[in-house]
Amino acid sequence: MPADGEAPPPPPEPAINFWGDHPATEAEYYAAHGSEGESSYFTTPDEGARRLFTRAWRPRAPAARPKALVFMVHGYGNDVSWTFQSTAVFLARSGFACFAADLPGHGRSHGLRAFVPDLDAAVADLLAFFRAVRAREENAGLPCFLFGESMGGAICLLIHLRAPPGEWAGAVLVAPMCRISDRIRPPWPLPEILTFVARFAPTAAIVPTADLIEKSVKVPAKRVVAARNPVRYNGRPRLGTVVELLRATDELASRLGEVTIPFLVLHGSADEVTDPAISQALYEAAASKDKTIKMYDGMLHSLLFGEPDENIERVRGDILAWLNERCTPPATSWNRDITVE
């Protein structure tokens, strides 16, 4: 206790890394978890020449050649440099090389924060980066998987629908935003009003929404960590972004029967951000011969960070088992049953 008249000690500074103050650097954190990583920028090859901030995570040298490449896509308002990378580090130490980029308008990539007026353009930017990585000589012949969380899951499906058949060995879809949940979707006639107003003020950050961290992250201490992300967008959604997400997810929901990629979809039954019923509809409607769905009873939206550690380990284990099986696909076709855990 301070003596009378003395000022109380200042509060501790927020941790500069999502794991805390120790280890002090990313390189040390990666090494402690059997991986190594790097960051850079990728410039898109089209006339716009946009810059995406990118990261890569690999098994720590002198590990053997990776089993496969995993191309990862984060969700709305998030980025690849905070808690998202904990999954990439896990996969890297398990033998996979992982690559990800901050979406346009997110993290350290170009663009107005959280402004995504054209999701198709964002898909094209990511696909250009992913294909540039795949074209490297050291990656020749390796299976390539997509991995997406929330909005990133929807983007993975859009990448699949816009790519030639067979380009991807499979996709891991974590609480995918195939349709915005009715629990947070603006009620009618607000979407029509937003669409009209967005023509004149697309960047206006005025759309009312629930606290996504509160609704996504179950463990209170982890909510604090998520909120400390220095590049996370915490403002209200922008009109143009909301209208585009409504358009793109409505399109995706209408095209579930066109999905042919092998996939694993994972969803918490208590998710209030994206709709687990739409993941169920994806599983039932998709034309994929190899499809697996896992519903986790009582889990929320943030399956790979916001849950208690034992739940996270269960979800990670399911992802790893699925990927490992498909690095050397069996001769028979697959059609998995629903698993409720």
Side-chain angles (χ1 to χ4, degrees), residues 7-80:
E13 291 292 325
I16 60 172
N17 301 300
F18 76 87
W19 60 84
D21 296 324
H22 303 287
T25 68
E26 282 185 340
E28 291 172 319
Y29 171 77
Y30 296 153
H33 290 80
S35 64
E36 56 189 28
E38 63 188 41
S39 60
S40 62
Y41 279 89
F42 172 78
T43 301
T44 59
D46 57 11
E47 293 182 1
R50 293 167 297 281
R51 279 164 53 87
L52 302 181
F53 178 78
T54 72
R55 285 188 177 272
W57 303 265
R58 299 178 180 84
R60 190 180 182 190
R65 193 172 189 234
K67 303 173 188 177
L69 310 181
V70 181
F71 295 91
M72 308 179 74
V73 190
H74 66 78
Y76 168 79
N78 210 340
D79 68 290
V80 301

Side-chain angles (χ1 to χ4, degrees), residues 21 32 42 140 158 193 227 291 293 334:
D21 296 324
F42 172 78
L158 291 173
I193 296 172
K291 53 184 178 178
I293 185 169
W334 295 77

Side-chain angles (χ1 to χ4, degrees), residues 10-332:
E13 291 292 325
I16 60 172
N17 301 300
F18 76 87
W19 60 84
D21 296 324
H22 303 287
T25 68
E26 282 185 340
E28 291 172 319
Y29 171 77
Y30 296 153
H33 290 80
S35 64
E36 56 189 28
E38 63 188 41
S39 60
S40 62
Y41 279 89
F42 172 78
T43 301
T44 59
D46 57 11
E47 293 182 1
R50 293 167 297 281
R51 279 164 53 87
L52 302 181
F53 178 78
T54 72
R55 285 188 177 272
W57 303 265
R58 299 178 180 84
R60 190 180 182 190
R65 193 172 189 234
K67 303 173 188 177
L69 310 181
V70 181
F71 295 91
M72 308 179 74
V73 190
H74 66 78
Y76 168 79
N78 210 340
D79 68 290
V80 301
S81 297
W82 198 245
T83 59
F84 182 83
Q85 64 176 320
S86 63
T87 302
V89 169
F90 165 76
L91 291 174
R93 79 169 185 239
S94 302
F96 296 86
C98 301
F99 304 86
D102 285 338
L103 290 166
H106 289 72
R108 295 173 173 87
S109 287
H110 77 281
L112 180 65
R113 298 301 81 192
F115 183 48
V116 187
D118 185 348
L119 205 58
D120 288 337
V123 166
D125 287 352
L126 282 180
L127 194 50
F129 167 58
F130 292 166
R131 285 172 171 166
V133 172
R134 294 182 63 168
R136 297 173 187 168
E137 183 177 353
E138 67 267 23
N139 295 329
L142 288 173
C144 296
F145 294 90
L146 295 167
F147 174 104
E149 293 186 5
S150 194
M151 184 177 76
I155 289 174
C156 287
L157 289 175
L158 291 173
I159 287 175
H160 158 59
L161 292 172
R162 287 156 173 73
E167 181 169 354
W168 301 98
V172 176
L173 309 171
V174 183
M177 188 184 285
C178 297
R179 183 174 179 272
I180 297 175
S181 172
D182 288 337
R183 297 171 183 173
I184 66 169
R185 184 185 179 97
W188 184 91
L190 191 53
E192 288 72 17
I193 296 172
L194 293 177
T195 300
F196 175 77
V197 177
R199 297 175 187 173
F200 308 99
T203 64
I206 60 174
V207 181
T209 188
D211 184 333
L212 293 183
I213 290 179
E214 184 75 19
K215 285 190 171 293
S216 299
V217 180
K218 181 182 292 182
V219 178
K222 294 185 177 184
R223 291 176 191 159
V224 175
V225 174
R228 284 178 175 172
N229 182 346
V231 296
R232 180 183 178 85
Y233 179 75
N234 294 307
R236 286 189 170 188
R238 301 183 188 278
L239 277 172
T241 300
V242 171
V243 169
E244 177 62 3
L245 286 178
L246 290 170
R247 181 204 65 78
T249 55
D250 284 349
E251 175 199 342
L252 190 55
S254 70
R255 299 184 64 187
L256 298 182
E258 299 175 39
V259 173
T260 59
I261 191 173
F263 68 82
L264 167 66
V265 61
L266 311 103
H267 222 127
S269 68
D271 192 335
E272 295 187 8
V273 177
T274 58
D275 195 340
I278 301 300
S279 284
Q280 177 70 46
L282 166 64
Y283 175 80
E284 293 173 356
S288 306
K289 294 181 180 179
D290 174 356
K291 53 184 178 178
T292 306
I293 185 169
K294 288 187 177 288
M295 289 285 181
Y296 300 97
D297 188 38
M299 292 196 197
L300 301 185
H301 185 63
S302 180
L303 291 176
L304 288 166
F305 172 71
E307 290 289 322
D309 290 347
E310 59 270 22
N311 288 354
I312 293 171
E313 291 306 311
R314 188 191 315 171
V315 178
R316 282 180 172 180
D318 289 337
I319 292 171
L320 183 59
W322 189 89
L323 287 171
N324 280 334
E325 285 182 4
R326 282 148 190 84
C327 288
T328 307
T332 56

